[in-house]
Amino acid sequence: METVILAVVIAVVVLGALGGLVVGSRRRKPLPPPPPSAPDITAPPAEPHVGDEAETPRDEPRRTIEEVDLPDGSAPVTVEEPPALEVPEIEVPEPTAGRLVRLRARLSRSQNALGKGLLALLSREHLDEDTWEEIEDVLLTADVGVQPTQELVDGLRERVKVLGTRTPEELRGLLRAELLKLVDPGMDRTVRTEPETSKPGIVMVVGVNGTGKTTTTGKLARVLVADGRSVVLGAADTFRAAAADQLQTWGERVGAYTVRGPEGGDPASVAFDAVKEGKEMGVDVVLIDTAGRLHTKTGLMDELGKVKRVVEKQAPLDEVLLVLDATTGQNGLVQARVFAEVVDITGIVLTKLDGTAKGGIVVAVQRELGVPVKLIGLGEGVDDLAPFEAEAFVDALIGD
């Protein structure tokens, strides 16, 4: 009996131990991972509406009107002025009346080689054929031209023969009279800037590269402003780099407005706009600076004719000034002839006349075109462009 009980107890103990092992192994087995939780979705901020603040308002302490310190008026309130725009200083050009007379000394220093040479030859005791040929050479070297030279020599021959004895004063008077006859003081040298009908007067400036055309246009604006005229400048030279800037600088110096277009643009369009602007502004004169045309290029010369035709759709041209370099001599006459075929030249501007002893170009170009020299350039100064005065010019040629 005891044996049976002992066997039962042992069996119970064995079963209990086995049960504990099974439970322990089950507890050590890893559990499956929990299912992922749903992500938190944050709603995008609402778009701001008119009047909304740019950021979320923060709670800040606020003061009442009684707590705000207001100025009591004892200390002045300083208000900063906006910086003033720099306005270019407008210059006052010197008057044009008698300008050539004032510049006579400068002209005579470079030109009276012609006058001195002629007076020295005419002062010889015997004027034979060799002397007269030397006189002709002096005149031809000064670019007077063949036909004017022959006329001058014939006139001198006759007057010297009648005069007989020749004192220096008589010779100077004789030469002055003959040169003055060639220069022709009776020609109308007025730069026409006052149209018969309505303003503005329209002046177109033409010429080849290197003659000082744009500079002359700027100096002419100074001449007109000095005479009390209002001016608009048209920068129709769109092909030369910085030509429009150069002309605008000249205009700003005297308070003249400049109409310009894009570089390489249509010159006729710029000229048209300049005339239109001048009419709307009610100015006295519109000056149009054209491109420097090479007289050997027909296409460019045709374009110059186009500029003239386009301008005349707005108003008739009152003046077409051809700028010539006085140092070019006979080549300048060739240029003048070609330009005259394209546009109706009404006046000549001779530049660089202070650097050459070839003052006879005045006579030659007037004979070639049948139009007068109206302006001459005597230097690099801003006021060295002078209205041409025949008597002052001849006096400078023959010297004192």
Side-chain angles (χ1 to χ4, degrees), residues 28 36 55-56 58 65 127 149 189 216 245 278 290 293 314 318 320 328 343 349 377-378 391 394 396:
R28 287 192 300 268
E55 60 181 14
T56 305
R58 293 173 291 184
I65 189 64
L127 297 178
T149 294
R189 304 182 189 277
T216 297
D245 293 337
T290 59
R293 309 294 174 180
Q314 283 276 359
D318 298 287
V320 179
T328 58
V343 290
V349 182
L378 297 173
E391 294 188 1
V394 171

Side-chain angles (χ1 to χ4, degrees), residues 19-182:
L21 290 174
V22 172
V23 172
S25 63
R26 287 182 178 178
R27 288 179 179 174
R28 287 192 300 268
K29 187 176 181 179
L31 299 177
S37 60
D40 295 334
I41 299 176
T42 303
E47 295 184 0
H49 299 282
V50 177
D52 290 349
E53 296 290 340
E55 60 181 14
T56 305
R58 293 173 291 184
D59 292 334
E60 295 180 353
R62 299 178 181 273
R63 294 183 294 172
T64 62
I65 189 64
E66 292 80 6
E67 297 173 337
V68 177
D69 295 330
L70 299 177
D72 56 1
S74 59
V77 179
T78 304
V79 179
E80 294 184 0
E81 294 286 341
L85 297 177
E86 292 187 5
V87 179
E89 183 179 355
I90 297 178
E91 302 174 7
V92 180
E94 66 173 282
T96 59
R99 185 180 289 191
L100 182 55
V101 176
R102 293 194 299 275
L103 299 174
R104 174 181 168 183
R106 183 183 304 169
L107 180 63
S108 63
R109 281 196 298 270
S110 59
Q111 297 295 326
N112 62 14
L114 169 62
K116 286 183 177 180
L118 291 177
L119 287 173
L121 292 171
L122 290 171
S123 299
R124 292 180 180 178
E125 185 175 355
H126 299 288
L127 297 178
D128 53 16
E129 289 301 321
D130 290 340
T131 303
W132 288 113
E133 287 183 4
E134 288 184 53
I135 292 175
E136 288 183 359
D137 291 341
V138 170
L139 291 169
L140 291 174
T141 303
D143 285 334
V144 173
V146 176
Q147 184 63 33
T149 294
Q150 192 61 51
E151 293 178 14
L152 180 57
V153 170
D154 291 345
L156 288 173
R157 277 177 179 263
E158 183 178 350
R159 298 193 65 172
V160 167
K161 183 178 181 180
V162 172
L163 186 62
T165 59
R166 305 177 300 278
T167 64
E169 292 74 17
E170 289 173 332
L171 284 175
R172 182 172 285 104
L174 182 152
L175 183 58
R176 182 181 188 277
E178 291 299 323
L179 286 172
L180 198 57
K181 186 187 302 182
L182 285 183

